[in-house]
Amino acid sequence: MDTAAPDTTDRTRHLRICPLCEACCGLEVEIDHGTASPRVVGIRGHADDVFSRGYLCPKGYALKDLHEDPDRLRQPLVRRGGELQPATWEEAFAEIERRLVPLIEQHGRDAVALAIGNPAAHKMSLGLYFPRLARALGSRNVFSASTLDQMPKQLASGWMFGHWLSIAVPDIDRCDFLLMLGANPMASNGSLWTVTDFRGRAKALRQRGGRLVVIDPRRTETAAIADAHHAIRPGTDVFLLAAMVHTLFDEGLVRPGRLAEWTVGIEAVREAVAPFPPEAVAERCGVLAATLRSLARELAATERACVYGRIGTCTQAFGTLASWLIDVLNVLTGHLDAPGGAMFPKAAAFAANTAGTPGIGRGIVTGRHASRVSGAPEVFGELPMTVLAEEIETPGAGQVRALITVATNPVLSAPGGPRLSRALDGLDFMVSLDIYLNETSRHADVVLPGLSPLEESHYDVAFPQLSHRNHARYTPAVLPPDASRPAEWENLLRLAAIVQGRGAGVDLQALDDELLAQDVGRLAGAQAGAVLAALAAGGRRGPERLLDLALRAGPWGDGFGRQPNGLTLDRVAAAPGGLDLGPLQPRIPELLRTPSGRIELAPPACLADLSRARAALDEPPPALVVIGRRDVRSNNSWMHNLPTLAKGPERCTLLVHPVDAARLGLVAGAPARLRPAGPLGDQPGRQLVAPVALSDELMPGVVCLPHGWGHDHPGARLALAAERPGANLNAVLDESRRDPLSGNAVLSGVAVELSAMPGP
């Protein structure tokens, strides 16, 4: 046996920020150049990364699998004779122009819809150039994954603080009491909260005498390491939170501290929560009244404390109310914008809440238009993803006849997936930008593949806005891209030119220069010429040029020479592990953009919606409800096709409490049929079958199935995922159920029926 050490003379080490979840950890990628083409031979955490300090979860290792995946698309596909066939880039764009332009001319711009998924948030090209496509098209029919998991938090934050992305996150490194609802950062590595090594940070919190308390229907991985876990009936977070706010007023515990002069609406909130004393809500939520009062007292008494809620609090019928009340608690106890509490990061680039006059603004506006069929209001420029199918199916003026999807798979990720799948087959034309032929892109007439993450440079456009510590990090491409394949920003720009009638043969560099000049004109006014000259001196194109602009114009930037020690892309790129910009600092009133220049604690829409919650308080809880769950190895549906993440035990199992299993005659390992309660369960495609796993992690009356499975659709090319396809939870969910304020889909606490499969 040859025991000689491997030859490493042809190996190089490259730094990369992981693009597979919100933690954004720094990686070291080892490349072997001693083969016909460069090959990834190792990935590990980057110990000198200023943000992640060497932490790495299993997803980081899977970047090698993603880069090498034989199912990952590397050539455009065009539908010919009913089949998707390989084509050149010229043929693909010619087909798009041939079919899309006449459709727009005949039916108008609203006849074309856009849909974008969460992987785009991890790609600088997509994140910065999708808005260019959306503006060029000018359609009202824009959809994203935000209305499947986070729009309630964005809406509540916008109403309270004046901007959609002014989202407060836990300052965990200085926190001594962290109350967490519907969140599982042990699996997600944070969500609307960019935090690395949550386990290590939670351990440090406890070692300094702090406490972590989790409220969740399931004893999650996070609840398992907490000091206390309180099970709650799914969908009742609004009652628990309102009762805690009630307790603060009832027991004289309201102490906003320095925020008092920057807050309006405290008395209105007092009146609004009067119908929700702990004793009135305890039975409905399944949490003792004494526990509710104790949690409120501990929150008020702890100097450095924070309430944080995530997907479980957003994906329910009262998602916006729950998101709002979380920050109401933080404000009333003086823990908002305070060290150790819920604080606002200051992003070095693309900082959403640094433009305009500090402390005052116009706030946010919703409902500028509505969906054609259901009348769902526009929120943050989007319509709910769950109305897309009906907008395609329903004839009449404004009917969606064409669709452009970007890194999204709503056939699996949105409720009513089977209906949407059928609707996509009825489109006149569909284009997908995606690295896979998945359950959604398989319907497209043209598929434009993206690059491997290792072939692209990277800066986190969105996540420094949500990070537990301020920082700036940039990493260049690890591997050179194939020169025959355009970058994704170039594809989006070419699509923008097509929908504007400028043709697929447009000069992309000239178009990019034109759009940049417009951006700089809005930003710099009379100084635009000097700014453009400074950017031109850098010699960059595309996303890097926009990044340099954003860094230099940002709150830490050099102001194009006015601040000699300020940030530029050159300075950030010269720091291999990134730049640490320090812990979060108080930002109120500077951050506020509300018309009053104050925290708007009592948004009228939230106060009005509490009457709906009060009526629901008297309704009996369903006998059985379903919730979702996440796994550290499968945050997205396409991750099921990567060997590093797909190996191990079957993860798409239906967790059932032993008491419910005995009552329903279910056996561990045996299949069970799940369907929505009521008439919806009789519709075709509204039932699923999944293997049962007994678990006392759940409270009785709750079953749990993970999100993003169902890889059994013909035409998709996800070979490894298809070996263990799993069941699609969203197939049984009702796409018409939404939080009325935000339009977010209701994915949790949905009433279901469960039965054993008949024997052979």
Side-chain angles (χ1 to χ4, degrees):
M1 182 174 62
D2 184 3
T3 59
D7 182 5
T8 61
T9 56
D10 291 324
R11 295 186 178 185
T12 57
R13 183 183 69 109
H14 302 262
L15 302 182
R16 181 64 164 85
I17 300 169
C18 182
L20 300 185
C21 80
E22 292 188 34
C24 306
C25 298
L27 311 176
E28 292 183 13
V29 182
E30 189 174 6
I31 303 295
D32 183 0
H33 299 274
T35 55
S37 60
R39 183 172 60 93
V40 178
V41 293
I43 297 177
R44 63 182 179 181
H46 180 211
D48 294 328
D49 185 275
V50 299
F51 188 67
S52 58
R53 302 293 182 186
Y55 178 77
L56 184 64
C57 83
K59 291 191 292 296
Y61 298 107
L63 270 178
K64 172 179 166 62
D65 292 349
L66 177 60
H67 179 74
E68 298 173 353
D69 191 347
D71 287 336
R72 183 169 63 83
L73 299 177
R74 293 162 172 82
Q75 184 177 358
L77 301 175
V78 173
R79 192 172 298 278
R80 298 185 177 109
E83 299 291 332
L84 284 169
Q85 299 178 7
T88 66
W89 288 96
E90 291 75 14
E91 290 170 338
F93 279 109
E95 181 72 359
I96 294 170
E97 184 172 5
R98 182 181 72 84
R99 298 184 60 182
L100 195 57
V101 171
L103 192 148
I104 293 173
E105 291 173 347
Q106 181 178 356
H107 300 288
R109 296 185 175 276
D110 291 340
V112 184
L114 299 175
I116 187 168
N118 59 23
H122 300 272
K123 285 200 160 195
M124 190 163 57
S125 274
L126 298 181
L128 294 180
Y129 278 79
F130 178 81
R132 295 205 181 301
L133 171 59
R135 284 193 294 269
L137 178 61
S139 173
R140 292 184 172 190
N141 290 305
V142 178
F143 306 86
S144 89
S146 294
T147 54
L148 300 176
D149 64 8
Q150 70 185 46
M151 194 60 83
K153 190 63 183 178
Q154 292 183 258
L155 179 58
S157 297
W159 277 332
M160 295 179 74
F161 311 123
H163 197 283
W164 303 95
L165 296 176
S166 291
I167 296 174
V169 303
D171 181 20
I172 188 171
D173 291 338
R174 296 180 287 189
C175 185
D176 292 326
F177 176 56
L178 180 54
L179 178 62
M180 189 174 295
L181 297 88
N184 187 14
M186 284 290 291
S188 68
N189 290 309
S191 181
L192 286 182
W193 179 30
T194 296
V195 56
T196 61
D197 188 16
F198 175 80
R199 180 191 290 274
R201 297 181 191 284
K203 181 179 179 181
L205 182 155
R206 299 178 68 185
Q207 286 177 338
R208 61 178 176 263
R211 282 185 11 103
L212 171 65
V213 177
V214 173
I215 297 173
D216 199 285
R218 181 171 72 95
R219 191 172 65 252
T220 62
E221 295 87 343
T222 303
I225 68 164
D227 296 277
H229 166 231
H230 303 290
I232 182 173
R233 285 199 177 96
T236 64
D237 301 76
V238 61
F239 307 131
L240 178 145
L241 292 162
M244 288 183 63
V245 175
H246 182 285
T247 300
L248 294 178
F249 286 112
D250 186 47
E251 300 188 9
L253 301 175
V254 173
R255 301 186 184 94
R258 75 172 187 88
L259 295 182
E261 67 172 306
W262 300 110
T263 303
V264 295
I266 291 178
E267 286 305 310
V269 171
R270 179 199 297 269
E271 295 177 11
V273 299
F276 300 94
E279 293 72 19
V281 309
E283 183 177 356
R284 184 70 173 85
C285 352
V287 182
L288 295 174
T291 299
L292 298 176
R293 289 190 177 273
S294 176
L295 289 171
R297 292 167 188 155
E298 186 172 7
L299 179 67
T302 306
E303 181 179 357
R304 299 190 172 203
C306 178
V307 185
Y308 166 69
R310 204 28 216 115
I311 286 182
T313 59
C314 286
T315 56
Q316 54 177 280
F318 299 102
T320 302
L321 288 184
S323 299
W324 164 61
L325 288 168
I326 285 169
D327 278 330
V328 168
L329 284 169
N330 285 323
V331 170
L332 294 180
T333 54
H335 297 316
L336 185 83
D337 201 43
M343 303 193 75
F344 299 96
K346 180 180 280 190
F350 312 108
N353 46 24
T354 57
T357 303
I360 196 166
R362 68 171 188 145
I364 63 168
V365 178
T366 66
R368 291 171 292 186
H369 58 270
S371 68
R372 183 176 57 99
V373 180
S374 293
E378 165 270 335
V379 178
F380 198 20
E382 300 179 18
L383 296 174
M385 185 72 85
T386 50
V387 307
L388 177 56
E390 67 185 24
E391 291 296 322
I392 297 171
E393 295 169 342
T394 308
Q399 179 183 6
V400 170
R401 298 171 179 271
L403 174 66
I404 302 173
T405 70
V406 179
T408 189
N409 192 8
V411 167
L412 289 194
S413 63
R419 178 184 179 185
L420 178 59
S421 184
R422 293 190 296 271
L424 295 180
D425 281 334
L427 287 168
D428 292 346
F429 188 57
M430 179 174 168
V431 179
S432 288
L433 283 73
D434 210 292
I435 60 174
Y436 285 110
L437 199 62
N438 61 28
E439 290 77 12
T440 298
S441 61
R442 70 192 176 101
H443 294 274
D445 298 287
V446 178
V447 183
L448 303 176
L451 299 175
S452 158
L454 297 181
E455 297 172 322
E456 297 181 298
S457 60
H458 187 86
Y459 184 94
D460 288 308
V461 172
F463 301 116
Q465 185 83 21
L466 303 166
S467 295
H468 75 92
R469 188 175 179 90
N470 294 317
H471 66 279
R473 298 174 299 156
Y474 168 85
T475 51
V478 171
L479 295 169
D482 183 342
S484 66
R485 288 185 287 154
E488 287 167 295
W489 68 270
E490 294 175 313
N491 291 336
L492 288 169
L493 207 54
R494 199 173 297 279
L495 287 174
I498 289 173
V499 300
Q500 282 187 322
R502 299 170 72 160
V506 68
D507 182 335
L508 289 182
Q509 183 61 56
L511 178 56
D512 198 36
D513 290 345
E514 174 187 324
L515 296 175
L516 176 73
Q518 294 173 7
D519 291 342
V520 172
R522 288 189 293 266
L523 176 71
Q527 304 301 315
V531 171
L532 288 170
L535 293 173
R540 295 184 172 90
R541 299 179 61 226
E544 277 76 12
R545 187 166 59 171
L546 292 180
L547 173 57
D548 195 28
L549 170 65
L551 284 167
R552 300 180 74 167
W556 310 86
D558 78 336
F560 300 95
R562 292 190 298 274
Q563 302 292 334
N565 296 320
L567 295 187
T568 66
L569 181 50
D570 283 340
R571 290 195 177 102
V572 176
L579 296 173
D580 179 17
L581 301 177
L584 307 185
Q585 300 294 328
R587 296 191 60 198
I588 287 175
E590 165 264 322
L591 164 131
L592 298 173
R593 296 294 182 274
T594 56
S596 67
R598 301 290 188 269
I599 298 170
E600 301 282 0
L601 199 67
C606 290
L607 299 185
D609 202 36
L610 277 175
S611 62
R612 183 173 63 96
R614 180 61 189 86
L617 183 58
D618 296 329
E619 298 173 0
L624 189 68
V625 299
V626 67
I627 62 173
R629 70 178 186 268
R630 300 182 79 176
D631 186 278
V632 71
R633 293 176 177 269
S634 60
N635 282 1
N636 293 297
S637 60
W638 54 268
M639 292 183 178
H640 304 152
N641 210 56
L642 307 180
T644 297
L645 302 182
K647 66 183 180 182
E650 185 170 5
R651 296 184 180 89
C652 190
T653 57
L654 182 67
L655 300 185
V656 183
H657 193 280
V659 170
D660 292 319
R663 174 173 58 87
L664 298 170
L666 304 178
V667 177
R673 176 179 286 112
L674 186 75
R675 50 169 276 169
L680 185 65
D682 296 326
Q683 294 182 4
R686 293 291 184 174
Q687 302 181 10
L688 63 82
V689 175
V692 170
L694 302 184
S695 174
D696 63 1
E697 296 174 352
L698 295 162
M699 59 190 306
V702 180
V703 296
C704 179
L705 192 69
H707 162 91
W709 295 81
H711 304 289
D712 54 0
H713 292 242
R717 300 180 192 173
L718 297 163
L720 183 61
E723 292 177 9
R724 293 195 295 185
N728 182 10
L729 169 61
N730 286 313
V732 305
L733 301 181
D734 185 352
E735 63 272 24
S736 69
R737 291 198 63 199
R738 293 182 285 274
D739 167 26
L741 300 184
S742 67
N744 205 90
V746 176
L747 309 177
S748 183
V750 176
V752 293
E753 298 173 357
L754 183 62
S755 59
M757 294 289 290

